[in-house]
Amino acid sequence: MIMRLLTDGIGEVDLRDIGTYRARGGYRAVENALRRMSPKEVADEVSAANLRGRGGAGFPAGRKWSFLPGDGRPRYLCVNGDESEPGSFNNRMLVEDNPHLLVEGVICSSYAIGCSFAVIYLRGEFYEGAAIMGRALEQAAEAGYVGEHILGSDYSLRIVVHRGAGAYICGEESALLESIEGKRGHPRVKPPFPAVAGLYASPTVVNTVETLCCVPSIVNNGGAWFAGIGSPKSPGTKICSISGHVRRPGNYELVMGTPLRELVEEHAGGIRDGHRLKMILPAGASSAAMTPDQLDTPLDFDAMAAAGSLLGSAGLIVCDETTCAVKVALLGESFYAHESCGKCTPCREGTKWVEKVLARLEGGQGRPEDVDLLKSLVGEIGGGKCLCPLGDFAVTYLGSALKLFEDEFVAHAHGRTCSERLQARPTASVATGEVLSA
Amino acid sequence: MGGLVKGLATTLKYLRRPRATVDYPAKERPYPERFRGLHILDRDAEGLERCVGCELCAAACPVHCITVEAAENPVGAPYSAGERYAWRYEIDLLRCIFCGYCEEACPEDAIQLTPRHDLLSNKREDFLVGKDWLTVPRQ
Amino acid sequence: MITLTIDGKTVSVEPGTLLVEAARAAGRDIPVYCYHPKLAPAGACRMCLVEIEKMPKLQTACTTPVSEGMAVHTTTARVKEAQHGVLELLLINHPLDCPICDKGGECDLQDFTLRYGPPSSRFLDGKIHRKKALDCPPFLVIDEERCILCQRCVRYEDEILHERNIVLIERGSHMTIGTEGRDDYGGYYSGNNTELCPVGALTSRPYRFKSRPWDLKMTPTICTQCSLHCNVRADVRHGDLMRLMIHDNPQVDGGWLCDRGRYAIGDAKAAERLSHPLVRGGEVSWDIALAEVQNALEAGPVAGLGGGRLTNEAAAAFKQICGTVDWRVGRQTYARVPGVAEATPSDLSEADVIVLVDTCPMEEAPILDLRIRHHKRVIDVGPVPGMRVGPAERVVCAPDGVAEALRGLDLSAAKHPVVVWNGRGELVEAIRALGAPVLMVHEVANARGAHDAGLETEGDILAACAEGKIHTLWLAGANPLRSYPADVRAALEKVPVLIVSDLYPTEVTELATIVLPVAGPFERAGTFTNLGGLTQTAAAVVAPRGLSDERIFQRLRPAAQPAKDLPARRSFQGGNLLVRPHLWSGGGNTRFDRTLEAARTALATVRVHPSQGLAAGTHVMINDVHEAVVAVDPGLHPAVVVVPDRTFAGLGADARLRAVVPA
Amino acid sequence: MAETSTETMVLNMGPQHPSTHGVLRLIVEVDGETIVRCQPDIGFLHTGIEKQFETHTWQQAVTDSDRMDYLSPLTNNLGYVLAVERLLEIQVPPRCEAIRVLFCELSRVSSHLVWLGTSALELGAQSIFFYCFQAREAILDMFEATAGVRMNPSYMRVGGLMYDIPPQLPGMVARFLEELPRWLADFRALLDGNPIFRERVVGVGVLGREQALAYGVTGPSLRAAGVAWDVRKAYPYSGYERYEFGVPTRTDGDVWARYEVRMAEMEESGKIIRQAMAGMPDGAWKTDDRKVALPPREELHRSMEALIHHFKLVAQGFNVPAGAVYQPVEGPRGEIGFYVVSDGGAHPYRVRVRPPSFYNTAVLTRLLEGRLLADAVAIIASLDMVMGEVDR
Amino acid sequence: MNPLLAALLRGLLAILCLLTAFAYTMVLERKVLGYFQLRWGPTKVGPWGMLQPLADAVKMVLKEDIRPAGIDRFIYALAPGISLFAALAIFAAVPIGPNAAVTDPPGGLLYVLALAALGVYGVSLGGWSSQSKYALLGSLRATAQMISYELAMGMAVLAVVVAAGTVSLTGVVQAQASIWFVLPEIVAFVIFLICATAEGNRAPFDLAEAESELVAGYHTEFTGLRFAMFVMAEYIDMIVLAVVGALLFLGGWRGPAPVPGFIWLLLKTGVLIFLQMWVRATFPRLRYDKLMDFGWKWLLPFAFLNLAGTAIIVALRG
């Protein structure tokens, strides 16, 4: 069920303009929070809303905030706008089309956690987004929502936009912090978690754009209201980016718990003519493939996990039967091999090897033992052996595909390619996040 | 008495058997391919020394009769492929027990035991052979 | 204490201990690549994965601190599988270099592969090839293909050195290490990288292809290149000293070595070493030479200079034989500040304020600097910056204004202040006034031992020589022509008998009546006392060339009365040309073997203040004789020009600097 | 009548004496030609081999084992490698076992041939010595073709062998098996019926069952005293339980009986050799445990893992779990046992060898007393000791 | 010509012949043994190793002359001489043709037997004088052995003497005009052969030097020329006794074909020498006590019986 909580007005009016935004009730949350609520009250409302992180892991934001130790060190809020997951483009829409919502969310959240310096970290390729964000911040500062003594209160906040250098790894929160500090984007050893020692060794909260965009409506309407939307355990809405072999790819903001089938068949218009669904990668290239019989799974964190996959950032990639499971794996692994930060061994070496094997399979030079080799490599790289979860992500799809479509891999391993079938496939690139769009 | 005659008959039989000894060194008996005789240091197809001076042979040698000292290949005129070569390679043949462990150890197939075994001199130092003696001539 | 079980074995360790260390305490070796006890955990190599009960995923032992009641398993099937996997992945792009790799035999990659790794390869798709045998002068050789990216070197640069000589380049499977944008290694501590490196990616040029570890006989001893006396392990093959390795002594070196200490080992094999005793230029036997010495010692007043090279035992014998002896042949006047507490290197770590008094520890005792450079508060007093790396509060003063500047300091708020001083100049009163313990950095290696042995004389021996009051002057490891503040050639020429005992021919052996070749470092055993007053034993690990100093003194009986009526020691005006120690000066040696001479910069550098108007790289002449290159240092006192010590012979107060006209 | 002097004479036989098999020294007290007392003095060939084991890696130490009983080096090889393999708990493939059995039995025949030739020579029969050596030549040729060396092949390895058998070996074995009965028949023709020979050996040097057992005598000497003890049957190793062969025994315990037993043993060995060759399994000839056996050479140029294992195994060797085992094998001279102790390191901590010759030498004292000097030669020869093994 | 001078010249010629014969018998033995033993024998010096004796002679002369401490120098020096002298001197009375002998006394056979027994003095004294236990044992054995076999040999020869009716060797040969004594006196022939071998200390009766037991027996301590003399004595003994055997039993120089008698004798001698070598190649050595047993308990009674039988037959015929 579509519910436009975050996307309200996008495509209809120019929300980049602070005037338009305010005219539609924008920045009401800032005023509500700063004028009428204590920081703790705001935090409590967010906790009550059971707002779960939209970045992928679904960790409740309120609880994350509660971990910050009060030991006199400065606190930081970092907005994770490093949306690099192939198939995911919902944050980009928010940053580019509704920047003030994010600014408002950042202000409310910063206020709630007692932070006076917030960083909006945007993916390097969001050149335009960063410019839009910068303009929005200027407007907000002019309007007095950002800066010293906001709305005349004691509360001061500086927000800066930090653009990355184009590394997938910087979507991982500790690598993001390293990147902000000017270092090589490598994940840090945890513990300590950012909440304890994050940016410049100080308590830091890292939340995704979409998560923070939910905060204004929680502040305005109360946590209980938000908690009542959608699934009880994963309340609120989720902007789902859907791409691939569907008739109407794009972003759809749905109430949590909406069945997958509704998204694919109603909102996205179903599979393109004359074809049938083969699989869905519900959270971009990093997720286990789902088959047509799983179409009734509700789109929320727990149900998706129970179905053996994950909701993640809800970047759904839909593939019809013309798609070669091996080719999809190869595109994915090429991406991971290219994007591996190189810090830890399994991800750095393993992804490259897997890519080489898959390239061979795809090119018809497969060997019969390759399927077993791939299975074993999935075990060597995945299963929590890497420093950060990206190592696991790198082989999640491959692992599921090796189970679901083993016959295709075996066929490739015996030198048979499915190039004829792929002739029909339109050109696409996984790496840019616009997968298989028909 | 019969036993004595039988014995005499037996030895008489051998009188006409072919001789077992060979008129060495005028003639030599054939040696099998695997014969573990004197060592050589081989060259590769390009004529470079196979030995890279890794010293594994010296480590494998149970009697420590091999001494290897390595150095960096001169730029432009390398002795061996790669960075490293043996500037000194000595075998004390008097100590050598011809066990073949060096040959087994060599990862480059450089040191090999050949069927050659004419080891003769009345000077001790002649048995301390170096690279010039060991290395096969360039083709 | 926290108690946990590792493979069923109960062990108690301090809170905060990492599992890998706890396992070591329990007698279990967990394989590690990126982990190093002196570096912060990185969790990068994933080699140390272990199974912890109640944790679903395997954990890295190098990043997980112990907790009470933890039950850890290091040999379960899952752990083995993980180790197997990591090794397989590390090996896929590793070149087939074992036979030519210097690390072969002491390589962690080899060892762990044999112990935990797969026996055969499944990888058949071509390896990634990178640059090999990249020279990184002066001492490193980088092999990018062999690197397993544990980042120990990079982290060492970051955490220990605060320098960035070796960095990570590129990303993912193309990531490698290198000197970004440079082709050499800029620092003084490159050698430690070769030991940190668990594989053969960083190897050292001097040790290149020299030996295999199983051929080495390893003996712990000490380095006597500077006055710190870092502990080393001397590795000897077939009687030749092949290399020095770290032999951690937390009190002294904290487990690091500087490049001079590590690589100045060629003395034993140096071709230019003195080989025979010489009497008036002719080669003689030891018996004759020592008889000549004996005669000379009995013929008139005797004096001796030197002590930096001498062991404590030899110094005592030297004093006994010559009577009038002094170790102060350079610019240093004091080995201890009278009436002030002595600090030790460990005190630096405890100190809250460190005052550098016109001293540059990085040049004078490099490993000491590693304790200072990341210190919170360092006050650096003097015309020349003493801190090269790391933050410091600079108190810039004129060369003769150091005492003045010191009087301006107030250390009363500090709980543990430590003053670091190199004993030069008339600063004793000012330093005593600071009221803090003093750590002396000595110009010569065993100054402290010589001082304790009483190698100090009121008055200036060389002045007495110039006045003809000394009949026999013995230089034991001293070259006054290079290190004495004034030109003393005339004084030396005036001495009827000049005895020089040294390793190498030098300017003074040219003048000497009797030259005695002596055993060098690692050739003779004895004790040395370091700058913190710690006496340690040096071992003889190679056969001596010549006799050791001690042996020479032993063969002579105690001799003549000390000469009397020496004039008071002259003090020298610094002018604006300051001679300062650098890494390759000082210690006990008068010079180095050729390999190291070559490793040094071809042209010496003089440092000038920007206000002098000289551009960096300008060639200048000193005294119209010595050529040097200008480096511009804004940290200097404007009126000061710094010349590296011991590079030029006979630089006195009247030395002049002349710039060659830039084109 | 004048008193005849009964003074005895002490005769020093050896250590360099034509009949003392290497360097055994016998201090013999003779009354005329009759031996009153005999005291063997050993140690002249003390080489420190047991100690030398400790300085070598487990694999290098194979070369040490060769050099004790240099007449059957491969049996020693086998005893040692079996002991280490037991410590390592590794199994070698069936082909390897069969090859080991083949070569051990060839060694036994070879050793017995040397015994026969030298014994006969010492009794003064010259030609048979040459015939025995000529017969043995075929065996040495096989060693040479297989391991490259005739005398101390060091052919066995912990975990397998140095090489597989060469293609020409089966033909060589077949030819040898054809020739062996003919040789044996000739030897018997020369000796069996010869009254001089029989007089020299029958009833000479009788070693009784009890005495043999008390002295720890093993091998043919024990079996000639009527005890059917053979390690190959009692504690089969290397697959001996799969072979059909007899354990020849005699009951007289004299030199003749020992001669008979050894002659029969050569025939039995022939049977084992035939079975080993006929039933030679295909497949691997060394263990696939790459932590012990060197990787195949062809992998060295492409597999990093193989190169590392090769490098480490060659340079520093493998570690063997701490522990101790005793591994006996039936050598030509009796039970040769290796007591191997590991402290978990890359070198043996201790290797103690139970050399059958040592025990066989010990009994000499008893056997020689009261016999003639000429019998001493026959008895020493019949006990067939190798001093390299006694002294180690 | 002065008969004495002529005899001396003949003697010298005989000695030269014997020495040459010794040299080549030795080569022959080494060759024959070699062939029995699948070897070549000497091949290196001269064609087919024929110059080997020369090399050996040079070697022997050049060898260090060792005299052990504490020996009886005179006897030590004398002993090899006795042996060689005895061996050479026998030949003085041995005819090699109808009128070809150094001297052919009527009682030549007695002279031969006497001198053959003399050789053992050299062996005994040599062993005794060299202050070595092995040598002493060797010489004791030689002495005992000589006594044991001398009698049997004498009786065997006596049978021939009885049959021939003369003690002249020429006479004995002439007595075999119709039939060689080897046939009627086969027992004597065998006993003679055995005893001759034993006299010569040759295998299987080489107890006196029994290498594997006594190292080298009586000549353990002898080197160089002295040793060579013992060896020469042994070989010359063998040759001479073979000649005597041929004369006594094989009809001497008589032969069916018209070839010179000398050749016949040479052939027959050769056969007897070869027989000795063949035996040497085949049989083990007897044990000392068995040797005595054999000599006293078997050979002597048989020889006696044979003699008695011969005597009876001759008496009956005569």
Side-chain angles (χ1 to χ4, degrees), chain C residues 11-346:
Chain C
V11 62
S12 291
V13 292
E14 296 283 332
T17 309
L18 296 170
L19 268 184
V20 60
E21 293 293 343
R24 218 161 271 179
R28 280 277 172 196
D29 252 354
I30 296 177
V32 288
Y33 288 121
C34 67
Y35 173 75
H36 189 274
K38 297 201 182 295
L39 303 174
C45 70
R46 316 308 286 172
M47 193 62 222
C48 62
L49 290 170
V50 293
E51 198 168 335
I52 302 173
E53 280 178 19
K54 294 182 196 132
M55 288 201 180
K57 287 197 262 181
L58 299 177
Q59 300 293 317
T60 46
C62 76
T63 61
T64 313
V66 293
S67 61
E68 189 63 41
M70 215 179 215
V72 184
H73 302 280
T74 68
T75 54
T76 59
R78 275 177 75 198
V79 172
K80 281 183 179 163
E81 190 200 320
Q83 290 168 337
H84 210 273
V86 169
L87 281 166
E88 177 173 32
L89 294 170
L90 282 175
L91 292 177
I92 60 171
N93 282 318
H94 200 83
L96 295 158
D97 270 0
C98 292
I100 60 164
C101 176
D102 262 335
K103 206 78 177 183
E106 54 184 356
C107 169
D108 286 348
L109 192 59
Q110 284 186 331
D111 290 350
F112 297 156
T113 302
L114 186 70
R115 252 189 293 174
Y116 309 103
S120 59
S121 186
R122 296 188 291 174
F123 182 77
L124 300 165
D125 316 85
K127 290 178 186 276
I128 296 177
H129 291 291
R130 298 199 180 90
K131 284 178 240 164
K132 293 183 77 67
L134 270 178
D135 250 322
C136 180
F139 298 117
L140 281 188
V141 181
I142 301 179
D143 193 305
E144 295 183 358
E145 282 189 351
R146 294 181 196 153
C147 179
I148 58 165
L149 293 164
C150 68
Q151 306 174 30
R152 277 189 197 175
C153 52
V154 178
R155 284 148 59 215
Y156 159 75
E157 300 278 345
D158 265 2
E159 297 170 20
I160 308 293
L161 300 188
H162 302 276
E163 296 175 17
R164 287 203 158 193
N165 296 302
I166 293 180
V167 293
L168 290 171
I169 302 169
E170 286 287 348
R171 184 177 73 185
S173 52
H174 295 282
M175 192 158 86
T176 184
I177 51 161
T179 51
E180 199 172 24
R182 275 219 313 270
D183 56 3
D184 66 340
Y185 186 97
Y188 285 174
Y189 310 90
S190 67
N192 294 327
N193 280 314
T194 63
E195 275 194 76
L196 284 170
C197 183
V199 292
L202 291 168
T203 51
S204 72
R205 166 66 51 192
Y207 179 68
R208 193 156 168 81
F209 305 149
K210 280 278 192 297
S211 181
R212 286 290 185 199
W214 54 79
D215 281 342
L216 295 171
K217 188 170 166 272
M218 300 163 178
T219 319
T221 178
I222 57 169
C223 163
T224 55
Q225 293 291 334
C226 78
S227 55
L228 184 57
H229 304 170
C230 300
N231 289 211
V232 295
R233 191 189 80 204
D235 289 359
V236 175
R237 181 199 199 221
H238 302 171
D240 291 339
L241 181 57
M242 287 295 163
R243 62 176 180 184
L244 296 182
M245 301 291 273
I246 289 166
H247 190 72
D248 193 357
N249 183 343
Q251 270 188 294
V252 181
D253 47 62
W256 306 111
L257 286 181
C258 73
D259 284 351
R260 174 174 166 186
R262 185 184 291 271
Y263 295 119
I265 56 168
D267 295 319
K269 296 284 278 181
E272 55 271 44
R273 277 280 287 272
L274 293 167
S275 55
H276 289 81
L278 303 170
V279 172
R280 283 172 287 277
E283 284 186 7
V284 297
S285 71
W286 274 100
D287 289 341
I288 293 173
L290 290 179
E292 289 278 344
V293 172
Q294 188 76 56
N295 290 341
L297 292 177
E298 287 164 4
V302 181
L305 282 177
R309 184 189 69 215
L310 303 184
T311 61
N312 292 347
E313 296 77 13
F318 193 41
K319 162 88 179 164
Q320 213 183 354
I321 283 178
C322 296
T324 307
V325 282
D326 213 322
W327 61 267
R328 295 170 295 187
V329 286
R331 291 168 176 81
Q332 187 178 1
T333 321
Y334 297 95
R336 301 187 59 164
V337 183
V340 173
E342 207 171 358
T344 64
S346 325

Side-chain angles (χ1 to χ4, degrees), chain C residues 537-653:
Chain C
T537 308
V541 296
V542 295
R545 294 173 69 178
L547 295 181
S548 70
D549 290 297
E550 201 183 347
R551 187 88 191 89
I552 291 173
F553 300 144
Q554 271 171 8
R555 287 181 62 173
L556 300 165
R557 63 174 176 74
Q561 294 296 310
K564 285 173 189 150
D565 301 321
L566 289 174
R569 191 179 167 87
R570 272 189 288 147
S571 64
F572 293 94
Q573 292 293 315
N576 71 349
L577 192 84
L578 288 188
V579 180
R580 279 293 182 269
H582 70 139
L583 181 72
W584 300 102
S585 70
N589 280 13
T590 51
R591 54 177 292 194
F592 297 95
D593 63 273
R594 192 175 294 155
T595 49
L596 283 172
E597 292 285 347
R600 297 165 58 180
T601 325
L603 273 183
T605 309
V606 289
R607 287 191 286 151
V608 300
H609 193 265
S611 63
Q612 296 281 344
L614 285 174
T618 311
H619 283 225
V620 294
M621 300 300 286
I622 303 167
N623 281 7
D624 292 333
V625 177
H626 308 296
E627 193 177 1
V629 184
V630 166
V632 179
D633 187 346
L636 290 175
H637 185 278
V640 158
V641 174
V642 183
V643 179
D645 199 358
R646 303 250 174 146
T647 308
F648 312 114
L651 282 193

